[in-house]
Amino acid sequence: MNREEALDSIKANVEDGNLVKHMLAAEAIMRALAKRLGEDAEEWGLTGLLHDIDVELTEGDMHSHSKLGADLARELGASEAMAHAILSHNVRHGISRETKLDKALFCTDPLTGLIIASALVRPDKKLAGLEVNSVKKKYKEKSFAAGANRERIALCSEIGLELDEFIELGLEAMKGIAADLGL
Ligand SMILES: [Fe+2]
């Protein structure tokens, strides 16, 4: 599978532009993480890109969410490692996160939401001027973007990153695709 095929499949299965942006953000962070950790940036990036491809198809049914996603990814040619990461990012399945790829996707998923929300409360609603310290402050405000699960973000420790380091890497990665994110 190449990136274009993954994007075509996303276009066919996802209407919500914000959901597409969430997946693009996850891709950018996963690529940056892979580079930092000496892993396969293409494999990690495509895992981030595809991880929520089934959200609209499963219509909020958390028992099928990510099972279908893993199947769709496999059909596109994803490796078993990628499919496992997608499957295990939904805690409802009770599948343990074993590999670094599994763990990276799990902590990356909520970080995208925290960063997007941090940009949207700025007067200009842009990522460019958003500083890492602001995002760190927002991380500590539990009521801010409460859906961005802080405990999950903090699990970056499982892949050897300090929280501050992870937030900084995520912010830089998302700034790199700010235009695609419309931020
Ligand atoms: Fe997600």
CSV table of all heavy atoms in Angstrom, one decimal, residues 53-92:
chain,number,residue,atom,x,y,z
A,53,ILE,N,-10.3,4.9,10.2
A,53,ILE,CA,-11.0,4.9,8.9
A,53,ILE,C,-12.4,4.3,9.0
A,53,ILE,O,-13.3,4.6,8.2
A,53,ILE,CB,-10.2,4.1,7.8
A,53,ILE,CG1,-10.8,4.2,6.4
A,53,ILE,CG2,-10.0,2.6,8.2
A,53,ILE,CD1,-9.9,3.7,5.3
A,54,ASP,N,-12.6,3.5,10.0
A,54,ASP,CA,-14.0,2.9,10.1
A,54,ASP,C,-14.9,3.6,11.0
A,54,ASP,O,-16.0,3.1,11.3
A,54,ASP,CB,-13.8,1.4,10.6
A,54,ASP,CG,-13.3,1.4,12.1
A,54,ASP,OD1,-13.0,2.5,12.6
A,54,ASP,OD2,-13.2,0.3,12.7
A,55,VAL,N,-14.6,4.8,11.5
A,55,VAL,CA,-15.4,5.5,12.5
A,55,VAL,C,-16.8,5.7,12.0
A,55,VAL,O,-17.8,5.5,12.7
A,55,VAL,CB,-14.7,6.8,13.0
A,55,VAL,CG1,-15.8,7.7,13.7
A,55,VAL,CG2,-13.6,6.4,14.0
A,56,GLU,N,-16.9,6.2,10.8
A,56,GLU,CA,-18.3,6.5,10.2
A,56,GLU,C,-19.0,5.2,9.9
A,56,GLU,O,-20.2,5.0,10.1
A,56,GLU,CB,-18.2,7.4,9.0
A,56,GLU,CG,-17.8,8.8,9.5
A,56,GLU,CD,-17.6,9.8,8.3
A,56,GLU,OE1,-18.0,9.5,7.2
A,56,GLU,OE2,-17.2,10.9,8.6
A,57,LEU,N,-18.3,4.2,9.4
A,57,LEU,CA,-18.9,3.0,9.0
A,57,LEU,C,-19.4,2.2,10.2
A,57,LEU,O,-20.4,1.5,10.1
A,57,LEU,CB,-17.8,2.1,8.3
A,57,LEU,CG,-17.3,2.6,6.9
A,57,LEU,CD1,-16.1,1.8,6.5
A,57,LEU,CD2,-18.4,2.6,5.9
A,58,THR,N,-18.8,2.3,11.3
A,58,THR,CA,-19.2,1.6,12.5
A,58,THR,C,-20.2,2.4,13.3
A,58,THR,O,-20.8,1.9,14.3
A,58,THR,CB,-18.0,1.2,13.4
A,58,THR,OG1,-17.2,2.3,13.7
A,58,THR,CG2,-17.1,0.2,12.7
A,59,GLU,N,-20.4,3.6,12.9
A,59,GLU,CA,-21.5,4.5,13.5
A,59,GLU,C,-21.5,4.4,15.1
A,59,GLU,O,-22.6,4.2,15.7
A,59,GLU,CB,-22.9,4.0,13.0
A,59,GLU,CG,-23.0,4.2,11.5
A,59,GLU,CD,-24.3,3.7,11.0
A,59,GLU,OE1,-24.9,2.7,11.5
A,59,GLU,OE2,-24.9,4.4,10.0
A,60,GLY,N,-20.4,4.6,15.7
A,60,GLY,CA,-20.4,4.7,17.1
A,60,GLY,C,-20.4,3.3,17.8
A,60,GLY,O,-20.5,3.3,19.1
A,61,ASP,N,-20.5,2.2,17.1
A,61,ASP,CA,-20.5,0.9,17.7
A,61,ASP,C,-19.0,0.5,18.1
A,61,ASP,O,-18.2,0.1,17.3
A,61,ASP,CB,-21.0,-0.1,16.8
A,61,ASP,CG,-20.9,-1.6,17.3
A,61,ASP,OD1,-20.6,-1.7,18.5
A,61,ASP,OD2,-21.1,-2.5,16.5
A,62,MET,N,-18.7,0.8,19.4
A,62,MET,CA,-17.3,0.6,19.8
A,62,MET,C,-16.9,-0.9,19.8
A,62,MET,O,-15.7,-1.2,19.9
A,62,MET,CB,-17.1,1.2,21.2
A,62,MET,CG,-17.2,2.7,21.3
A,62,MET,SD,-16.1,3.5,20.1
A,62,MET,CE,-14.6,3.5,21.1
A,63,HIS,N,-17.8,-1.8,19.7
A,63,HIS,CA,-17.5,-3.2,19.6
A,63,HIS,C,-17.0,-3.6,18.2
A,63,HIS,O,-16.2,-4.6,18.0
A,63,HIS,CB,-18.6,-4.1,20.0
A,63,HIS,CG,-18.9,-4.0,21.5
A,63,HIS,ND1,-18.1,-4.5,22.5
A,63,HIS,CD2,-19.9,-3.3,22.1
A,63,HIS,CE1,-18.6,-4.1,23.6
A,63,HIS,NE2,-19.7,-3.4,23.4
A,64,SER,N,-17.4,-2.8,17.2
A,64,SER,CA,-16.8,-3.1,15.9
A,64,SER,C,-15.8,-2.1,15.4
A,64,SER,O,-14.9,-2.4,14.6
A,64,SER,CB,-18.0,-3.2,14.8
A,64,SER,OG,-18.8,-2.1,14.9
A,65,HIS,N,-15.8,-0.9,16.1
A,65,HIS,CA,-14.7,0.1,15.8
A,65,HIS,C,-13.3,-0.5,16.0
A,65,HIS,O,-13.1,-1.1,17.0
A,65,HIS,CB,-14.9,1.3,16.6
A,65,HIS,CG,-13.7,2.3,16.5
A,65,HIS,ND1,-13.2,2.7,15.3
A,65,HIS,CD2,-13.0,2.8,17.5
A,65,HIS,CE1,-12.2,3.5,15.5
A,65,HIS,NE2,-12.0,3.6,16.8
A,66,SER,N,-12.6,-0.3,15.0
A,66,SER,CA,-11.1,-0.7,14.9
A,66,SER,C,-11.0,-2.2,14.5
A,66,SER,O,-9.9,-2.6,14.0
A,66,SER,CB,-10.3,-0.4,16.1
A,66,SER,OG,-10.5,-1.3,17.1
A,67,LYS,N,-12.0,-3.0,14.7
A,67,LYS,CA,-12.0,-4.4,14.1
A,67,LYS,C,-12.1,-4.2,12.6
A,67,LYS,O,-11.4,-4.7,11.8
A,67,LYS,CB,-13.1,-5.3,14.6
A,67,LYS,CG,-12.8,-5.9,16.0
A,67,LYS,CD,-13.8,-7.0,16.3
A,67,LYS,CE,-13.5,-7.5,17.7
A,67,LYS,NZ,-14.6,-8.1,18.4
A,68,LEU,N,-13.2,-3.5,12.2
A,68,LEU,CA,-13.4,-3.2,10.8
A,68,LEU,C,-12.2,-2.4,10.3
A,68,LEU,O,-11.8,-2.7,9.1
A,68,LEU,CB,-14.7,-2.4,10.6
A,68,LEU,CG,-15.1,-2.1,9.2
A,68,LEU,CD1,-15.2,-3.3,8.3
A,68,LEU,CD2,-16.4,-1.2,9.2
A,69,GLY,N,-11.8,-1.5,11.0
A,69,GLY,CA,-10.6,-0.7,10.6
A,69,GLY,C,-9.4,-1.5,10.3
A,69,GLY,O,-8.7,-1.3,9.3
A,70,ALA,N,-9.1,-2.4,11.2
A,70,ALA,CA,-8.0,-3.3,10.9
A,70,ALA,C,-8.2,-4.2,9.7
A,70,ALA,O,-7.2,-4.4,8.9
A,70,ALA,CB,-7.8,-4.2,12.2
A,71,ASP,N,-9.4,-4.6,9.5
A,71,ASP,CA,-9.7,-5.4,8.3
A,71,ASP,C,-9.5,-4.6,7.0
A,71,ASP,O,-8.9,-5.0,6.0
A,71,ASP,CB,-11.2,-6.0,8.3
A,71,ASP,CG,-11.3,-7.1,9.3
A,71,ASP,OD1,-10.3,-7.7,9.7
A,71,ASP,OD2,-12.5,-7.4,9.7
A,72,LEU,N,-10.0,-3.3,7.0
A,72,LEU,CA,-9.9,-2.5,5.9
A,72,LEU,C,-8.4,-2.2,5.6
A,72,LEU,O,-8.0,-2.2,4.4
A,72,LEU,CB,-10.6,-1.1,6.1
A,72,LEU,CG,-12.1,-1.2,6.1
A,72,LEU,CD1,-12.7,0.2,6.5
A,72,LEU,CD2,-12.6,-1.5,4.7
A,73,ALA,N,-7.7,-2.0,6.7
A,73,ALA,CA,-6.2,-1.7,6.5
A,73,ALA,C,-5.5,-2.9,5.9
A,73,ALA,O,-4.7,-2.8,5.0
A,73,ALA,CB,-5.6,-1.4,7.8
A,74,ARG,N,-5.9,-4.1,6.4
A,74,ARG,CA,-5.3,-5.4,5.8
A,74,ARG,C,-5.7,-5.5,4.3
A,74,ARG,O,-4.8,-5.9,3.5
A,74,ARG,CB,-5.9,-6.6,6.5
A,74,ARG,CG,-5.2,-6.9,7.9
A,74,ARG,CD,-5.7,-8.3,8.4
A,74,ARG,NE,-5.4,-8.4,9.8
A,74,ARG,CZ,-6.3,-8.2,10.7
A,74,ARG,NH1,-7.6,-8.0,10.4
A,74,ARG,NH2,-6.0,-8.4,12.0
A,75,GLU,N,-6.9,-5.2,4.0
A,75,GLU,CA,-7.3,-5.2,2.5
A,75,GLU,C,-6.4,-4.3,1.7
A,75,GLU,O,-6.2,-4.6,0.5
A,75,GLU,CB,-8.8,-4.9,2.4
A,75,GLU,CG,-9.7,-6.0,2.6
A,75,GLU,CD,-11.2,-5.5,2.7
A,75,GLU,OE1,-11.5,-4.5,2.1
A,75,GLU,OE2,-12.0,-6.1,3.5
A,76,LEU,N,-6.0,-3.2,2.3
A,76,LEU,CA,-5.2,-2.2,1.6
A,76,LEU,C,-3.7,-2.7,1.5
A,76,LEU,O,-2.9,-2.1,0.9
A,76,LEU,CB,-5.3,-0.9,2.2
A,76,LEU,CG,-6.5,-0.1,2.0
A,76,LEU,CD1,-6.6,1.1,3.0
A,76,LEU,CD2,-6.6,0.5,0.6
A,77,GLY,N,-3.4,-3.8,2.3
A,77,GLY,CA,-2.1,-4.3,2.3
A,77,GLY,C,-1.3,-4.0,3.5
A,77,GLY,O,0.0,-4.1,3.5
A,78,ALA,N,-2.0,-3.5,4.6
A,78,ALA,CA,-1.2,-3.2,5.8
A,78,ALA,C,-0.6,-4.5,6.4
A,78,ALA,O,-1.2,-5.6,6.2
A,78,ALA,CB,-2.2,-2.6,6.8
A,79,SER,N,0.5,-4.4,7.1
A,79,SER,CA,1.1,-5.5,7.7
A,79,SER,C,0.3,-5.9,9.0
A,79,SER,O,-0.6,-5.1,9.4
A,79,SER,CB,2.5,-5.1,8.2
A,79,SER,OG,2.4,-4.1,9.2
A,80,GLU,N,0.5,-7.1,9.5
A,80,GLU,CA,-0.2,-7.5,10.7
A,80,GLU,C,0.2,-6.6,11.9
A,80,GLU,O,-0.7,-6.3,12.7
A,80,GLU,CB,0.2,-9.0,11.1
A,80,GLU,CG,-0.8,-10.0,10.6
A,80,GLU,CD,-2.3,-9.6,10.7
A,80,GLU,OE1,-2.7,-9.4,11.9
A,80,GLU,OE2,-2.9,-9.4,9.7
A,81,ALA,N,1.4,-6.1,11.9
A,81,ALA,CA,1.8,-5.1,12.9
A,81,ALA,C,0.9,-3.9,12.9
A,81,ALA,O,0.5,-3.4,13.9
A,81,ALA,CB,3.3,-4.8,12.8
A,82,MET,N,0.7,-3.4,11.7
A,82,MET,CA,-0.2,-2.2,11.6
A,82,MET,C,-1.6,-2.5,12.0
A,82,MET,O,-2.2,-1.7,12.7
A,82,MET,CB,-0.2,-1.7,10.1
A,82,MET,CG,1.2,-1.2,9.6
A,82,MET,SD,1.2,-0.9,7.8
A,82,MET,CE,0.2,0.5,7.6
A,83,ALA,N,-2.1,-3.7,11.5
A,83,ALA,CA,-3.5,-4.0,11.9
A,83,ALA,C,-3.6,-4.2,13.4
A,83,ALA,O,-4.6,-3.8,14.0
A,83,ALA,CB,-3.8,-5.3,11.1
A,84,HIS,N,-2.6,-4.8,14.0
A,84,HIS,CA,-2.7,-5.0,15.5
A,84,HIS,C,-2.7,-3.6,16.2
A,84,HIS,O,-3.4,-3.5,17.2
A,84,HIS,CB,-1.5,-5.8,15.9
A,84,HIS,CG,-1.6,-6.3,17.4
A,84,HIS,ND1,-1.2,-5.5,18.4
A,84,HIS,CD2,-2.2,-7.4,17.9
A,84,HIS,CE1,-1.5,-6.2,19.6
A,84,HIS,NE2,-2.1,-7.3,19.2
A,85,ALA,N,-1.9,-2.7,15.7
A,85,ALA,CA,-1.9,-1.4,16.4
A,85,ALA,C,-3.3,-0.7,16.2
A,85,ALA,O,-3.8,-0.1,17.2
A,85,ALA,CB,-0.8,-0.5,15.7
A,86,ILE,N,-3.9,-0.8,15.1
A,86,ILE,CA,-5.2,-0.2,14.9
A,86,ILE,C,-6.2,-0.9,15.8
A,86,ILE,O,-7.0,-0.3,16.5
A,86,ILE,CB,-5.6,-0.3,13.4
A,86,ILE,CG1,-4.7,0.6,12.5
A,86,ILE,CG2,-7.1,0.0,13.2
A,86,ILE,CD1,-4.9,0.4,11.0
A,87,LEU,N,-6.2,-2.2,15.8
A,87,LEU,CA,-7.1,-3.0,16.6
A,87,LEU,C,-6.9,-2.7,18.1
A,87,LEU,O,-7.9,-2.5,18.8
A,87,LEU,CB,-6.8,-4.5,16.4
A,87,LEU,CG,-7.8,-5.5,16.8
A,87,LEU,CD1,-9.2,-5.2,16.1
A,87,LEU,CD2,-7.3,-6.9,16.3
A,88,SER,N,-5.7,-2.6,18.6
A,88,SER,CA,-5.5,-2.4,20.0
A,88,SER,C,-5.7,-1.0,20.5
A,88,SER,O,-5.6,-0.7,21.7
A,88,SER,CB,-4.1,-2.9,20.4
A,88,SER,OG,-3.1,-2.2,19.8
A,89,HIS,N,-5.9,0.0,19.6
A,89,HIS,CA,-6.0,1.4,20.0
A,89,HIS,C,-7.5,1.6,20.6
A,89,HIS,O,-7.7,2.5,21.3
A,89,HIS,CB,-5.7,2.4,18.9
A,89,HIS,CG,-6.8,3.0,18.1
A,89,HIS,ND1,-7.4,2.3,17.1
A,89,HIS,CD2,-7.5,4.1,18.3
A,89,HIS,CE1,-8.4,3.1,16.6
A,89,HIS,NE2,-8.5,4.1,17.3
A,90,ASN,N,-8.4,0.6,20.3
A,90,ASN,CA,-9.7,0.6,20.9
A,90,ASN,C,-9.7,-0.3,22.2
A,90,ASN,O,-9.7,-1.5,22.0
A,90,ASN,CB,-10.7,0.2,19.9
A,90,ASN,CG,-12.1,0.2,20.5
A,90,ASN,OD1,-12.3,0.5,21.7
A,90,ASN,ND2,-13.1,-0.2,19.7
A,91,VAL,N,-9.7,0.3,23.3
A,91,VAL,CA,-9.6,-0.5,24.6
A,91,VAL,C,-10.7,-1.5,24.8
A,91,VAL,O,-10.6,-2.4,25.5
A,91,VAL,CB,-9.4,0.4,25.8
A,91,VAL,CG1,-8.1,1.2,25.8
A,91,VAL,CG2,-10.6,1.4,25.9
A,92,ARG,N,-11.8,-1.2,24.1
A,92,ARG,CA,-13.0,-2.1,24.3
A,92,ARG,C,-12.7,-3.5,23.9
A,92,ARG,O,-13.3,-4.5,24.4
A,92,ARG,CB,-14.2,-1.7,23.4
A,92,ARG,CG,-14.8,-0.4,23.8
A,92,ARG,CD,-15.7,-0.5,25.0
A,92,ARG,NE,-16.3,0.8,25.3
A,92,ARG,CZ,-17.5,1.1,24.9
A,92,ARG,NH1,-18.2,0.3,24.2
A,92,ARG,NH2,-18.0,2.3,25.2
